[in-house]
Amino acid sequence: MGVRNLWDILESCKKTVPLHNLQNKRVCVDLSCWVVQLHKVSHACLKERVFLRGLFHRLRALISLNCTVVFVSDGSIPAIKLSTYRRRLNNGKEVAQNETNSQNATSLRRNLGSEFSCMIKEAKALGMALGVSCLNGIEEAEAQCALLNSESLCDGCFSSDSDIFLFGARTVYREICLGDGGYVVCYEMAEIENKLGLGRDSLIALSLLLGSDYHQGVHGLGPELACQIVKSIGEKDVLKKFASEGLGWVKKRKGAKNNIGKDDTILQVIDAYLKPKCHSADSDFVLKAHSQYPFQRTKLHHICAVYFEWPSERTDGYILPCIAERDLRRFANLRSTSSELGLNLPLHEIPVECPVSEIIKCRKVQGRECFEVSWKDMDGLETSIVPADLIESACPEKILEFEEKKLLRKKQNVQKRRPKKKETTPSLAELDLKLQSLLLDNNLEDNTDHNAGDASDSIERILEETTSMVDAVLNTEKSTLSHDDDDIENIEWTQNISNISSMTSNDSIGRILEETTSMVDGVLNTEKSTLSHDDDIENIGWTQNISNISSMKSNESVSSTEKSVVIDLLSPSPFKPSNTSKFHPSSDQNIEVINLSDSENEVSPEHKQKAKELRLFLASIRSEIH
């Protein structure tokens, strides 16, 4: 319990600090307080050992911070506390008067077979498996923690008993929370002295007035009046006055009753706080408790399997990343100490090997920058996540290596961005040769005397081969085009088609193709600017292919049907201009056929069907491109 109402008096000095502030520190834990806290919070039956599971998670959080923990357990019950102890066993009933006289009493050994003692024993076993040492106190555990803290053998004490300040503790952690990054509730004796004007002697005087485990106090005296009385006397003289005059003079104070404790017990209370029975700072027990104990993985597997029913893999998943992070913090401390001594060795020249193998990727955990790293010689653990600032302090060379590899991967990705062509797609050179062969095999000069049916068959073959070529070219270019709406405002298809339509039936196919050559060049130049990569499209070979066709004799006559098919082959779907100078395909995908003859008598039904199928096929290609 400690001193009645003392935590309320110290409320203004309470601080909540991040759990991260405990890194690289040594703390003592009043083990009884932690077990009681965890058992109350769990609200579960003792058989489930929920308190032990909570203790496991507290310890692994501190281990990851390289915070060294020392368990301190209670020893015998002090003689001056026997009346309070028996009163608690009797559920608050007052004990006989002869039992309250502790002058001739001796300390009482605790019942090691009690349920609570068994819980303490299990907690110690778990701590030892995790490398936590344990110091068995002579009497009060909080008194032993306070001595270690006052002798600078630890940086702070975990305890919920407020009388730990009366034993001489300087830094006390009352609570610990692991959620939201973790925090601890901390009290500093220096701040209590400066802010409240209450030193150690004043706090002992308050225990005599308000009541504690060692004294019942003055009934009816509240914390505010008690503080006024103590401050009015002063830190240096308050205990002398209480020891010499007792508490009789307090009866004259307003609000106090006549039930005042015997004056002969005051000196015993003062001595119990100022001179508690503890192991001295240079004793073998303390030195042994401050030794570094190893992590016992096999023993931990057994404990977690028995009490939590965890497989070894789950236990490793909880504890091994914490052990690895602790080792990395110790390595960082080694480099920091070497740097302070003026010894700045490169990473590969340090006698102790860095536990980190390499950085895998960047991470962010609860808003904090972290790295996922791989570990060296860590059995059961390959990778885990650690804070970025820890890597920077322990092995900044690993960060440089990671950045260099990251930059190299970016360069490699840029080189691989150009898509590979499918094996089934013919090359542009093959298409060009195929077209030239087609023109040579179908010399229109040798076919001038053929009938209309033969001419129809000839043009049909040309169109079939040209369709195949166009299909391959379009598929090739389609893979290099981005999926955005391409700007094609400079493609003046309507004007070009009108120019071709104005030609008469006596115009040679060479002249027609000369017109289409300039049109296609414009299309290619426009599409070239929309390509997502620096693709070489000059090998497409349109100009060469069209020139080959243009080399035909100018006196070769071309039927209106042939002109119509040529125009359909080159004509895209109708476009509608917008205010943004971009064109989009209209909803109507039908191809408008420009008929250059006065009648349709020259078109055979079979050829008409072939031309229709070709137009529909080209229309589907254009819709896929756009």
Side-chain angles (χ1 to χ4, degrees):
M1 180 190 73
V3 180
R4 188 180 297 116
N5 301 123
L6 184 56
W7 288 123
D8 296 332
I9 295 173
L10 303 179
E11 179 67 21
S12 61
C13 298
K14 180 177 72 173
K15 296 185 298 183
T16 300
V17 297
L19 187 65
H20 185 70
N21 286 12
L22 296 181
Q23 66 173 333
N24 302 324
K25 291 185 177 181
R26 181 186 295 272
V27 295
C28 295
V29 175
D30 185 346
L31 187 56
S32 298
C33 292
W34 266 22
V35 171
V36 171
Q37 284 179 353
L38 293 169
H39 185 59
K40 287 183 178 180
V41 171
S42 65
H43 299 290
C45 65
L46 187 59
K47 293 182 180 180
E48 296 180 1
R49 294 296 189 273
V50 178
F51 81 94
L52 204 60
R53 188 179 304 177
L55 180 62
F56 170 79
H57 290 301
R58 281 189 180 185
L59 290 177
R60 75 183 188 91
L62 295 175
I63 288 173
S64 66
L65 295 173
N66 192 32
C67 179
T68 304
V69 179
V70 177
F71 282 163
V72 180
S73 60
D74 290 312
S76 301
I77 302 172
I80 196 173
K81 192 179 180 179
L82 287 177
S83 59
T84 302
Y85 179 72
R86 291 182 177 130
R87 185 168 60 249
R88 291 173 181 172
L89 292 179
N90 294 328
N91 296 323
K93 296 180 181 179
E94 294 295 332
V95 297
Q97 183 67 27
N98 59 353
E99 293 180 344
T100 61
N101 189 357
S102 60
Q103 189 172 4
N104 298 323
T106 58
S107 59
L108 179 65
R109 187 175 181 180
R110 297 181 184 273
N111 182 8
L112 300 180
S114 66
E115 187 178 62
F116 187 76
S117 295
C118 292
M119 296 170 66
I120 295 295
K121 185 178 180 180
E122 293 170 356
K124 289 180 180 179
L126 176 63
M128 291 181 64
L130 292 170
V132 176
S133 62
C134 185
L135 176 61
N136 297 319
I138 298 176
E139 290 186 345
E140 299 276 45
E142 61 265 34
Q144 187 68 63
C145 290
L147 183 142
L148 296 176
N149 188 211
S150 62
E151 294 290 339
S152 300
L153 295 179
C154 70
D155 299 296
C157 311
F158 276 97
S159 179
S160 57
D161 288 340
S162 58
D163 56 0
I164 192 172
F165 294 103
L166 284 62
F167 289 115
R170 302 299 299 176
T171 302
V172 177
Y173 302 106
R174 183 184 180 187
E175 300 173 8
I176 179 173
C177 178
L178 303 182
D180 298 329
Y183 65 88
V184 290
V185 177
C186 177
Y187 297 82
E188 296 283 354
M189 191 62 191
E191 188 173 359
I192 295 174
E193 294 170 346
N194 297 330
K195 193 171 184 177
L196 300 179
L198 299 173
R200 183 181 179 184
D201 290 352
S202 296
L203 295 179
I204 294 174
L206 284 176
S207 71
L208 293 170
L209 296 177
L210 298 175
S212 66
D213 293 339
Y214 296 166
H215 194 271
Q216 293 187 14
V218 179
H219 291 278
L221 190 65
E224 293 183 3
L225 183 57
C227 289
Q228 292 178 5
I229 294 173
V230 171
K231 290 180 179 180
S232 65
I233 301 173
E235 173 71 19
K236 294 182 179 181
D237 301 325
V238 64
L239 290 184
K240 294 179 182 179
K241 183 176 180 63
F242 279 30
S244 61
E245 300 182 14
L247 300 178
W249 58 274
V250 181
K251 294 186 295 182
K252 300 179 182 179
R253 292 280 182 173
K254 184 179 179 180
K257 296 184 179 180
N258 294 330
N259 187 7
I260 306 297
K262 288 187 177 181
D263 293 340
D264 57 357
T265 63
I266 294 177
L267 288 176
Q268 298 179 33
V269 172
I270 294 174
D271 288 341
Y273 284 125
L274 293 178
K275 301 175 182 179
K277 293 181 179 180
C278 301
H279 297 293
S280 62
D282 58 351
S283 66
D284 293 338
F285 297 98
V286 173
L287 294 177
K288 184 179 180 180
H290 279 69
S291 301
Q292 185 171 315
Y293 285 79
F295 164 58
Q296 303 178 44
R297 183 183 177 192
T298 303
K299 186 176 181 180
L300 182 64
H301 286 169
H302 175 72
I303 293 175
C304 293
V306 172
Y307 294 126
F308 312 145
E309 297 182 354
W310 289 353
S312 58
E313 293 80 10
R314 183 174 182 182
T315 303
D316 287 342
Y318 278 129
I319 194 61
L320 290 185
C322 301
I323 297 293
E325 185 173 340
R326 181 196 65 184
D327 294 344
L328 183 60
R329 291 186 186 278
R330 291 177 177 176
F331 183 81
N333 294 338
L334 176 63
R335 296 202 72 178
S336 176
T337 303
S338 301
S339 179
E340 292 174 358
L341 297 176
L343 187 61
N344 297 315
L345 295 176
L347 185 63
H348 64 278
E349 296 183 4
I350 299 177
V352 179
E353 187 178 21
C354 178
V356 173
S357 176
E358 64 174 345
I359 299 175
I360 299 176
K361 63 176 65 175
C362 298
R363 296 281 193 177
K364 182 169 286 189
V365 180
Q366 296 178 345
R368 188 178 184 183
E369 297 295 334
C370 300
F371 287 119
E372 181 179 351
V373 301
S374 61
W375 301 96
K376 296 179 182 177
D377 303 329
M378 180 61 69
D379 186 21
L381 180 66
E382 294 182 359
T383 64
S384 66
I385 299 174
V386 296
D389 56 353
L390 176 58
I391 297 293
E392 187 174 356
S393 61
C395 46
E397 296 87 348
K398 298 294 182 180
I399 299 179
L400 294 178
E401 292 178 4
F402 171 70
E403 294 295 340
E404 291 175 357
K405 291 181 180 179
K406 187 177 179 181
L407 183 60
L408 180 60
R409 286 194 298 267
K410 285 184 178 180
K411 292 181 178 179
Q412 292 175 350
N413 291 336
V414 170
Q415 295 176 356
K416 294 179 180 179
R417 276 161 59 182
R418 183 171 181 175
K420 296 182 179 180
K421 299 179 182 179
K422 296 182 180 180
E423 296 180 358
T424 57
T425 304
S427 64
L428 296 176
E430 292 175 350
L431 294 176
D432 185 41
L433 293 174
K434 188 174 182 179
L435 182 58
Q436 293 183 33
S437 176
L438 175 65
L439 295 174
L440 293 174
D441 293 341
N442 295 275
N443 193 331
L444 295 181
E445 181 179 5
D446 298 334
N447 298 327
T448 53
D449 296 332
H450 289 185
N451 53 29
D454 293 337
S456 177
D457 292 339
S458 178
I459 193 65
E460 180 179 343
R461 180 182 175 189
I462 294 175
L463 292 175
E464 286 177 357
E465 297 292 341
T466 306
T467 300
S468 176
M469 180 191 70
V470 172
D471 183 32
V473 172
L474 291 178
N475 288 335
T476 302
E477 290 193 331
K478 182 180 177 181
S479 63
T480 62
L481 290 176
S482 62
H483 295 287
D484 299 333
D485 293 334
D486 300 319
D487 188 359
I488 58 171
E489 59 180 348
N490 294 325
I491 304 178
E492 299 178 355
W493 284 96
T494 304
Q495 181 178 355
N496 294 331
I497 295 300
S498 298
N499 293 334
I500 297 174
S501 303
S502 63
M503 299 178 183
T504 64
S505 59
N506 293 327
D507 291 328
S508 66
I509 191 171
R511 182 181 174 189
I512 295 175
L513 294 177
E514 286 177 0
E515 293 291 331
T516 57
T517 299
S518 60
M519 180 180 69
V520 171
D521 288 339
V523 173
L524 292 179
N525 290 332
T526 303
E527 287 190 347
K528 182 176 180 181
S529 62
T530 63
L531 295 178
S532 58
H533 306 292
D534 296 333
D535 297 325
D536 186 2
I537 64 170
E538 295 182 0
N539 292 327
I540 295 178
W542 281 95
T543 304
Q544 182 179 356
N545 295 334
I546 297 301
S547 299
N548 292 333
I549 299 175
S550 302
S551 63
M552 299 178 186
K553 293 183 179 181
S554 60
N555 59 356
E556 293 174 351
S557 61
V558 181
S559 66
S560 60
T561 301
E562 294 171 348
K563 289 184 181 181
S564 177
V565 172
V566 171
I567 294 174
D568 288 342
L569 178 64
L570 299 175
S571 176
S573 300
F575 292 92
K576 295 180 180 181
S578 62
N579 295 332
T580 59
S581 299
K582 291 185 178 182
F583 293 85
H584 302 278
S586 64
S587 60
D588 186 7
Q589 297 296 327
N590 295 328
I591 305 301
E592 296 181 2
V593 180
I594 304 176
N595 193 357
L596 303 183
S597 64
D598 296 335
S599 66
E600 298 181 352
N601 295 331
E602 300 180 8
V603 181
S604 65
E606 181 181 0
H607 191 85
K608 184 177 181 181
Q609 181 63 28
K610 294 290 185 178
K612 182 178 180 181
E613 291 176 357
L614 178 59
R615 288 194 297 272
L616 294 176
F617 175 73
L618 294 178
S620 65
I621 293 177
R622 287 191 292 270
S623 64
E624 289 179 1
I625 294 177
H626 298 286

